[in-house]
Amino acid sequence: MINEPVPINQVERQLSKLESTATNLETIAVLATRANKAQDAKALSDQAVDLRVKQFILYRNKDRIQADSKEWKALVAALELLNHFIDEAIADLKSLKDVQDSAARLISVMTKLTAVYSSKGS
């Protein structure tokens, strides 16, 4: 059973978390708008869109994802970190920069991962 894919439900669970994280970024963007932080709100909203696009690509390739790969593990770690900063930002908008930086990191990891699975043939 070496190199067998991890059960699809484990991959789907993480992909579902990505969807929720994108929704949470949109929520933080609304809070930033209400706090007169329009530039931050736009950046967060754009990142939420980027995250959803990458999540869609990964979802379409979910049956080929190797959950034990270093790229997937990096995605999971970056996702957890972003969710941590989102929780902090909900309590205090002073951490918006941390959210944006963490979201950028997650999107970067997702870009690399989507390139791997997009290049393997769709």
Side-chain angles (χ1 to χ4, degrees):
M1 291 198 165
I2 297 173
N3 289 334
E4 278 196 28
V6 172
I8 196 77
N9 63 347
Q10 290 180 15
V11 171
E12 286 178 340
R13 187 173 24 254
Q14 293 301 320
L15 293 173
S16 178
K17 285 183 185 178
L18 286 168
E19 176 77 23
S20 296
T21 299
T23 299
N24 292 340
L25 280 176
E26 291 169 345
T27 301
I28 297 292
V30 169
L31 294 173
T33 299
R34 290 182 180 169
N36 295 320
K37 298 177 181 272
Q39 187 174 6
D40 289 328
K42 171 135 179 40
L44 291 164
S45 182
D46 289 347
Q47 287 176 319
V49 170
D50 289 346
L51 200 105
R52 286 185 190 282
V53 169
K54 303 290 187 220
Q55 186 265 350
F56 177 76
I57 293 167
L58 289 174
Y59 189 82
R60 290 190 64 205
N61 292 289
K62 68 183 177 186
D63 58 326
R64 296 186 290 167
I65 292 174
Q66 295 296 318
D68 60 345
S69 70
K70 68 179 183 176
E71 294 87 358
W72 184 256
K73 289 177 182 177
L75 180 142
V76 172
L79 177 60
E80 292 301 319
L81 185 61
L82 176 55
N83 283 320
H84 166 75
F85 286 127
I86 287 172
D87 288 344
E88 285 185 0
I90 288 173
D92 183 2
L93 288 179
K94 291 179 185 174
S95 61
L96 286 179
K97 177 74 171 133
D98 292 332
V99 172
Q100 290 174 12
D101 291 347
S102 185
R105 172 74 178 131
L106 176 60
I107 291 166
S108 173
V109 170
M110 290 178 75
T111 299
K112 291 174 187 171
L113 194 60
T114 57
V116 168
Y117 292 108
S118 295
S119 67
K120 290 186 177 180
S122 296

